[in-house]
Amino acid sequence: MFKREVKGIKELILRSLRTQGLETPLLQRRLVNAWPTVAGETIARYTSSVSIRNQTLFVHLTNPALRADLSMMQKDYVRQLNEFVGSQVITEIRFC
């Protein structure tokens, strides 16, 4: 007799996404969608767009004073967003 290796559906889906090269874009999309949740409602109100390029999150803000404040908290936001997604997706944030 032989033993079968039983795997959960989550592990099978993640492996399939990884082999097809879709895991990273999916994680990036989840991180972009998480910005309003992690940053909060007030900051999200002043955010015009959010995008990722080369492991950098670009957050376009409509309030210059808010840009300066958020720049000081960049490391905290990087950590919180990566924890929210469960993977190291970004390494820095640029507030534009």
Side-chain angles (χ1 to χ4, degrees):
M1 264 177 118
F2 59 92
K3 272 188 165 180
R4 293 183 188 197
E5 188 177 336
V6 180
K7 299 186 184 210
I9 189 75
K10 179 180 178 181
E11 184 180 340
L12 294 173
I13 290 172
L14 288 175
R15 184 187 303 164
S16 176
L17 288 172
R18 199 171 296 127
T19 58
Q20 295 175 12
L22 298 174
E23 182 181 34
T24 301
L26 179 65
L27 290 172
Q28 289 177 346
R29 175 54 53 221
R30 287 180 56 206
L31 191 132
V32 167
N33 290 342
W35 173 252
T37 305
V38 173
E41 184 181 318
T42 305
I43 295 171
R45 197 174 320 131
Y46 292 105
T47 302
S48 60
S49 68
V50 180
S51 62
I52 296 178
R53 196 173 338 124
N54 298 331
Q55 292 187 326
T56 301
L57 182 69
F58 291 90
V59 179
H60 296 274
L61 299 168
T62 58
N63 186 331
L66 189 59
R67 278 186 216 137
D69 290 343
L70 293 179
S71 292
M72 289 184 251
M73 300 176 7
Q74 175 195 21
K75 299 282 186 212
D76 293 331
Y77 279 121
V78 168
R79 182 184 48 75
Q80 289 174 0
L81 286 164
N82 284 328
E83 284 177 3
F84 189 90
V85 174
S87 181
Q88 180 73 26
V89 178
I90 59 170
T91 55
E92 71 175 300
I93 300 175
R94 290 197 185 159
F95 298 102
C96 311

